[in-house]
Each structure stands twice: as C-alpha cells, then as structure tokens.
Amino acid sequence: MLAVAHLKYTHKSGPALTEGSDVHDGTTVFADGQRGTVLIGASEDAAGCEDPYDVESWKQGESHVFCETYVIPANAKSVEVHWSEEDGEPFVWKFPNS
C-alpha cells in the first residue's frame, strides 16, 4: 500500500532561499519499525503537494508542503513519519494504520 507523508515546512529566519530546497530529503516513512520503500516522483502531482525544486525564492515566514510517498505493507499495524536535519536526531510522528 502507499503511504504519503505531507510535511509543511516554514522558513523561520534568515535571508530568502534562492535555490530549490532539500529540506524534504530528511523525511522517511516506517511501518512496524521497518523503513518503507520510497516511490520517487509519485506525489509531485498529488493534491496539496508542491515540488521542492519549483520553489525558487523562499522568503522568511513563507511555508511550503512537500510530500514523500513510500510503499509499505498493507497489514502494518503502525506507521511512523521520521524527519531529521543532517546528522540530527529525528522527529517522529506515529499513526495507527487503520
């Protein structure tokens, strides 16, 4: 089954970003403790999802929603979305699979 993580990122401070952002690269979906298989390019056209490479100027206070799609087992009991900065400890959001 497909699991799509929608993450909203906000540029909190500093100068405007003038190139595509790679902030979404730190996103991973796990099912029952196992990393899912990323499905590259699957969510670029999904409703509410933006392509991070189309963001050319990202001003302070501005937000964008980037999505990542993973293939996970349909019978997984729990799904987790992990996001971390480079070499940082991940933030983890847990969801029951219903």
Side-chain angles (χ1 to χ4, degrees):
M1 116 176 163
L2 297 180
V4 181
H6 295 240
L7 280 86
K8 180 178 180 180
Y9 301 94
T10 302
H11 180 30
K12 293 286 192 179
S13 64
L17 304 174
T18 57
E19 296 180 9
S21 174
D22 62 356
V23 69
H24 66 287
D25 287 347
T27 306
T28 310
V29 174
F30 285 79
D32 294 339
Q34 298 293 314
R35 185 179 191 272
T37 303
V38 68
L39 194 56
I40 296 172
S43 57
E44 291 173 356
D45 296 329
C49 299
E50 299 175 68
D51 185 336
Y53 301 107
D54 288 344
V55 177
E56 295 178 2
S57 179
W58 191 344
K59 298 179 178 98
Q60 183 175 331
E62 192 174 318
S63 298
H64 293 281
V65 176
F66 302 142
C67 304
E68 294 292 331
T69 303
Y70 282 77
V71 178
I72 62 170
N75 61 350
K77 292 178 179 42
S78 68
V79 177
E80 295 179 359
V81 176
H82 294 207
W83 180 83
S84 62
E85 295 180 270
E86 287 183 32
D87 300 324
E89 287 297 314
F91 293 91
V92 178
W93 295 269
K94 297 180 181 188
F95 305 92
N97 186 18
S98 51

